[in-house]
C-alpha cells in the first residue's frame, strides 16, 4: 500500500476525498464562526490541513483541518490578544513549538492512553455528531457546525437545542434531508455491492447533487423552499483582488508580548494532544492496521500550523470526523486527504456560488451516517462483555465528551483508567495459596508479581497482618524483577511481628532459599540489580 506511485490507489482515494470534502466544507466554516474568526480562515486551515499536512504526514488515512476542540481557546484568545492578526502570531509560534515537540520525540505520549479511552473517544464523538446534526437535519441552524461542546456558543446546550428544534422545523430542509439520508442508506447497504460504478460514485455526491437541484427547483415555493440560512455560506469574492483580500497576515510587532507566547504554547499543547489521540484512533479504524509515526505527525502538524498562521488560517489538528469519513468511504492512502484539500481550494476559487446552494440538512444526513458508524450499538455490548475495567473508562469518556467537551471527556476517561490500573495493581501484587495444616501449622504460600511497587503496600500489608499465629509462610520472589523499597520495609517490619506470633518464614529467591531471614533489607540490598 506504500507504493512509490501516489496515484496507484486513486480509484479508491478520489471518491473518498469527495466525501471528506463535503464533510469538511461546513465544518471549516462552522468552526471559524464558532471561533469568532473570519469564515475564510477555516477554509485556509482546511486547505493547508489537506494539502500540506497531508503531504508531510506519515498517516495514510488521517485528515487534518481546523479543530472544534480549539474553538473556545481561539474565541477567547482573539479578544484577549487584541485582534485576529495578533492571534495569528500565536498560531505561528504554536506551529514552531509543535516542530520542537516532534524533534524531541514527544509523539510517544499518544501511546499512554488506554484502548478503552480511545474507543470511548471514537464512540463519544460519534454520539455528539449525531446529537449536534439533528437540528441541522431539520433546518434549525442557530448553532454553527463544529461546535461540539455541550454548552453551545448560541446559549443553548446540546439537548435543549434538540428540544427547541421542534418549534423551528423547516419543511423544505427536512424533506431533502430525508431523501438524502435514504440515498445514503441505500448506497451503503445495497447499491455499493451491485457494481463498480456505485463504488466510484459515492452516495454523498449523489445526495449533495440532488440537494442542489432541489434547492433550485423549489426556491420560489412558499412551502418547500430552503431559506438562505439553511445553506452553506462560502465567502464569494467579487474579483481577484477581493479574493486575495480575504487572507490575513500576522502582526509580528506583538511577538514580545508574553500573552502571545502563552497562547502559542497552549495551542501547541492542545493541538498536539488532539492530534496524537486522533492518530491512535484512526490507526485502530484503519482496515490495514498501519501504524502512524507520531513524531513525524507532530512535525507535519507544526509545519501546517506555521503556514496556516502566516496566511490567516485557524490552528490545525488531525481530526477524527474527517478521518473516519475518509476510512468509511474507502480511502487507502494519504492522497485522499491531499485531494480533498485541492477540492476545497479549487471550489472556493471557481464555484463558491454553486457551493452556496448546498443545503446544510443534506450535509447533516452525511454526518449522521458518519456518527452512526463510529457509535454502533454493538460496540457497547462488546465493551460491556470485556469487563468493568474496560467498560467504566469507556463510558466515562463518552459521558464526558457528550456533557462537557472532547478534552474533558478524554481527561476523565484517562483519570478513571489510571484508577483502574491502580486497583489492578493493588489486586495483582501477589498470589496467595493456602494449604492444610502441616506439622500443626498452616502452610501459606505467597508469590510476588514481576513488579511490586508502593501501590501494592495496602494489599500486601493486609495479607500479612491477617496471617494467624503458628503459620508457615513461604514467600516466593523468584519472578520478581522490581521490588519497591516500601515493600522491603513492610517485610522487614513483619519479620519482627512474625517472631512474636510464631510465624516461620521461608524466603525463596533466584539466589536460593533462606529460613527466617534476619534482615530483608540486607538480603535485597545484596540482590543482583538485574534481578
Amino acid at each position: 500500500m506504500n507504493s512509490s506511485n501516489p496515484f496507484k490507489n486513486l480509484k479508491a482515494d478520489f471518491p473518498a476525498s469527495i466525501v471528506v470534502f463535503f464533510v469538511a466544507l461546513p465544518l471549516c466554516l462552522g468552526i471559524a464562526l464558532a471561533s469568532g474568526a473570519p469564515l475564510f480562515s477555516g477554509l485556509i486551515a482546511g486547505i493547508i490541513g489537506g494539502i500540506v499536512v497531508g503531504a508531510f504526514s506519515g498517516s495514510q488515512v488521517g485528515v487534518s483541518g481546523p479543530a472544534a476542540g480549539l474553538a473556545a481557546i481561539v474565541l477567547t484568545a482573539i479578544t484577549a490578544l487584541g485582534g485576529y492578526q495578533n492571534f495569528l502570531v500565536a498560531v505561528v509560534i504554536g506551529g514552531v513549538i509543535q516542530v520542537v515537540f516532534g524533534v524531541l520525540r514527544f509523539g510517544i505520549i499518544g501511546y499512554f492512553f488506554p484502548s478503552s479511552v480511545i474507543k470511548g473517544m471514537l464512540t463519544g464523538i460519534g454520539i455528539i455528531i449525531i446529537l449536534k446534526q439533528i437540528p441541522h437535519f431539520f433546518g434549525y441552524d442557530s448553532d454553527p457546525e463544529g461546535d461540539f461542546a455541550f454548552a453551545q456558543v448560541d446559549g443553548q446546550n446540546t439537548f435543549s437545542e434538540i428540544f427547541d428544534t421542534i418549534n423551528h422545523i423547516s419543511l423544505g430542509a427536512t424533506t431533502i434531508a430525508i431523501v438524502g439520508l435514504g440515498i445514503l442508506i441505500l448506497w451503503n447497504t445495497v447499491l455499493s455491492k451491485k457494481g463498480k460504478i456505485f463504488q466510484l460514485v459515492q452516495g454523498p455526491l449523489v445526495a449533495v447533487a440532488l440537494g442542489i437541484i432541489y434547492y433550485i427547483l423549489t426556491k420560489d415555493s412558499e412551502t418547500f423552499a430552503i431559506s438562505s440560512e439553511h445553506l452553506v455560506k462560502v465567502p464569494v469574492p467579487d474579483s481577484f483582488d477581493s479574493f486575495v483580500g480575504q487572507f490575513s497576515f500576522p502582526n509580528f510587532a506583538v511577538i514580545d508580548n508574553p500573552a502571545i507566547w502563552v497562547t502559542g504554547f497552549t495551542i501547541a499543547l492542545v493541538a498536539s494532544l488532539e492530534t496524537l489521540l486522533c492518530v491512535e484512533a484512526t490507526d485502530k479504524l484503519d482496515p490495514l492496521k498501519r501504524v502512524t509515526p507520531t513524531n513525524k505527525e507532530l512535525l507535519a502538524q507544526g509545519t501546517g500550523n506555521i503556514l496556516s498562521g502566516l496566511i490567516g488560517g485557524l490552528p490545525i489538528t488531525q481530526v477524527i470526523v474527517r478521518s473516519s469519513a475518509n476510512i468509511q468511504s474507502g480511502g487507502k492512502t494519504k492522497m485522499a486527504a491531499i485531494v480533498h484539500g485541492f477540492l476545497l481550494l479549487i471550489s472556493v476559487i471557481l464555484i463558491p456560488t454553486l457551493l452556496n446552494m448546498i443545503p446544510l440538512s443534506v450535509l447533516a444526513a452525511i454526518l449522521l451516517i458518519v456518527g452512526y458508524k463510529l457509535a454502533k450499538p454493538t460496540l457497547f455490548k462488546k465493551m460491556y462483555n470485556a469487563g468493568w475495567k474496560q467498560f467504566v473508562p469507556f463510558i466515562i469518556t463518552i459521558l464526558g465528551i457528550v456533557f462537557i467537551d472532547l478534552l474533558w471527556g478524554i481527561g476523565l476517561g484517562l483519570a478513571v483508567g489510571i484508577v483502574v490500573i491502580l486497583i489492578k495493581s493493588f489486586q495483582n501484587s501477589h498470589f496467595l495459596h493456602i494449604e492444610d495444616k502441616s506439622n500443626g501449622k498452616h502452610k501459606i504460600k505467597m508469590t510476588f508479581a514481576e513488579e511490586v511497587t508502593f501501590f501494592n503496600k495496602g494489599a500486601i500489608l493486609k495479607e500479612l497482618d491477617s496471617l494467624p499465629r503458628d503459620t508457615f509462610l513461604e514467600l516466593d520472589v523468584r519472578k520478581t524483577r522490581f521490588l519497591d523499597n516500601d515493600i522491603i520495609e513492610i517485610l522487614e517490619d513483619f519479620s519482627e511481628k512474625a517472631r512474636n506470633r510464631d510465624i516461620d518464614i521461608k524466603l525463596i529467591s533466584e539466589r536460593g532459599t533462606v529460613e527466617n531471614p534476619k534482615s530483608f533489607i540486607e538480603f535485597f540490598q545484596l540482590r543482583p540489580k538485574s534481578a
Side-chain angles (χ1 to χ4, degrees):
M1 197 59 64
N2 294 321
S3 170
S4 58
N5 180 8
F7 302 103
K8 182 179 180 181
N9 296 283
L10 198 58
K11 64 180 181 181
D13 290 333
F14 185 71
S17 71
I18 295 175
V19 178
V20 179
F21 163 71
F22 285 129
V23 169
L25 180 63
L27 291 178
C28 287
L29 297 167
I31 291 170
L33 183 61
S35 303
L39 289 181
F40 196 65
S41 66
L43 294 171
I44 292 172
I47 293 166
I48 293 175
I51 298 173
V52 178
V53 178
F56 285 100
S57 171
S59 175
Q60 294 299 314
V61 290
V63 184
S64 297
L70 285 167
I73 295 172
V74 174
L75 181 63
T76 303
I78 291 174
T79 303
L81 299 178
Y84 189 65
Q85 290 183 316
N86 294 349
F87 168 73
L88 291 176
V89 180
V91 178
V92 175
I93 291 172
V96 173
I97 293 173
Q98 280 188 292
V99 170
V100 174
F101 284 170
V103 172
L104 295 177
R105 308 185 69 81
F106 283 2
I108 194 173
I109 293 172
Y111 298 134
F112 290 95
F113 286 83
S115 174
S116 57
V117 174
I118 299 298
K119 291 176 181 176
M121 180 186 79
L122 288 169
T123 307
I125 290 173
I127 292 172
I128 204 69
I129 288 172
I130 293 170
L131 295 175
K132 293 291 186 179
Q133 291 305 314
I134 289 173
H136 295 292
F137 185 91
F138 291 104
Y140 183 45
D141 307 306
S142 63
D143 188 51
E145 293 277 7
D147 180 14
F148 288 161
F150 181 73
Q152 299 177 169
V153 296
D154 65 348
Q156 300 264 25
N157 63 53
T158 303
F159 293 103
S160 68
E161 181 94 356
I162 293 173
F163 293 135
D164 202 30
T165 299
I166 297 172
N167 301 317
H168 299 86
I169 293 176
S170 166
L171 187 58
T174 303
T175 299
I176 191 58
I178 293 172
V179 172
L181 185 62
I183 290 171
L184 294 170
I185 294 173
L186 180 66
W187 223 272
N188 279 330
T189 57
V190 180
L191 296 180
S192 62
K193 303 170 186 177
K194 294 295 184 181
K196 290 186 177 180
I197 184 64
F198 296 111
Q199 297 172 5
L200 184 63
V201 180
Q202 292 280 323
L205 178 60
V206 177
V208 169
L210 283 178
I212 295 173
I213 294 171
Y214 178 88
Y215 165 74
I216 294 172
L217 294 177
T218 62
K219 62 181 179 180
D220 295 325
S221 169
E222 293 185 3
T223 305
F224 292 100
I226 301 176
S227 60
S228 59
E229 64 263 26
H230 303 323
L231 301 172
V232 170
K233 296 181 180 64
V234 176
V236 181
D238 298 327
S239 63
F240 179 76
D241 289 339
S242 62
F243 174 76
V244 174
Q246 295 181 98
F247 291 88
S248 302
F249 305 98
N251 174 26
F252 284 109
V254 298
I255 199 168
D256 58 345
N257 181 355
I260 295 286
W261 286 87
V262 170
T263 302
F265 184 80
T266 302
I267 290 171
L269 191 63
V270 176
S272 298
L273 181 59
E274 284 204 27
T275 292
L276 293 173
L277 289 168
C278 185
V279 164
E280 283 287 295
T282 51
D283 284 353
K284 287 185 180 299
L285 292 174
D286 182 7
L288 300 177
K289 300 304 177 186
R290 290 163 290 191
V291 177
T292 300
T294 52
N295 295 310
K296 184 177 180 180
E297 187 65 29
L298 289 179
L299 291 171
Q301 296 292 333
T303 302
N305 274 317
I306 292 171
L307 184 56
S308 184
L310 287 174
I311 60 174
L314 288 173
I316 295 169
T317 72
Q318 190 178 126
V319 276
I320 195 63
V321 179
R322 274 161 257 200
S323 301
S324 58
N326 182 30
I327 296 166
Q328 293 169 12
S329 303
K332 301 294 184 185
T333 73
K334 62 170 65 180
M335 282 302 296
I338 295 171
V339 173
H340 122 273
F342 277 110
L343 290 174
L344 282 173
L345 175 61
I346 294 168
S347 63
V348 299
I349 294 175
L350 299 181
I351 54 169
T353 303
L354 181 63
L355 294 179
N356 289 342
M357 296 180 185
I358 301 175
L360 288 174
S361 59
V362 173
L363 300 180
I366 296 172
L367 284 166
L368 284 176
I369 298 294
V370 173
Y372 174 77
K373 289 183 177 180
L374 285 172
K376 288 184 176 179
T378 52
L379 181 58
F380 286 84
K381 182 179 180 181
K382 180 179 178 182
M383 293 303 293
Y384 180 80
N385 291 336
W388 72 270
K389 293 171 185 175
Q390 290 290 311
F391 187 70
V392 173
F394 171 77
I395 287 294
I396 293 296
T397 303
I398 293 172
L399 294 176
I401 290 172
V402 172
F403 288 99
I404 309 178
D405 63 24
L406 176 63
L407 291 177
W408 265 100
I410 294 167
L412 290 172
L414 180 60
V416 172
I418 291 172
V419 171
V420 169
I421 290 172
L422 294 179
I423 293 173
K424 289 170 69 176
S425 178
F426 179 88
Q427 293 174 337
N428 297 331
S429 59
H430 62 278
F431 173 77
L432 194 65
H433 177 65
I434 303 175
E435 297 184 4
D436 293 334
K437 281 190 176 183
S438 175
N439 297 325
K441 288 196 172 189
H442 289 280
K443 184 179 180 181
I444 296 178
K445 182 177 181 180
M446 185 181 291
T447 304
F448 276 11
E450 188 169 337
E451 292 187 5
V452 187
T453 70
F454 69 93
F455 292 128
N456 311 125
K457 286 171 61 175
I460 293 174
L461 191 59
K462 179 181 177 183
E463 294 289 1
L464 292 175
D465 285 345
S466 66
L467 294 178
R469 297 179 64 87
D470 296 324
T471 297
F472 181 81
L473 173 63
E474 186 175 284
L475 185 60
D476 190 342
V477 295
R478 284 176 292 185
K479 295 181 180 179
T480 307
R481 293 291 169 263
F482 176 77
L483 192 62
D484 200 321
N485 190 65
D486 286 40
I487 307 301
I488 297 174
E489 289 183 1
I490 286 176
L491 296 174
E492 183 74 14
D493 293 340
F494 176 73
S495 65
E496 183 64 31
K497 296 178 184 177
R499 284 190 284 271
N500 296 330
R501 291 159 54 186
D502 295 325
I503 297 176
D504 292 322
I505 303 173
K506 181 180 181 180
L507 180 61
I508 305 173
S509 74
E510 75 285 350
R511 291 162 51 199
T513 302
V514 180
E515 299 277 355
N516 294 317
K518 293 181 179 179
S519 174
F520 281 91
I521 293 177
E522 289 181 6
F523 178 84
F524 286 109
Q525 283 177 344
L526 294 173
R527 200 173 179 207
K529 291 184 178 179
S530 61

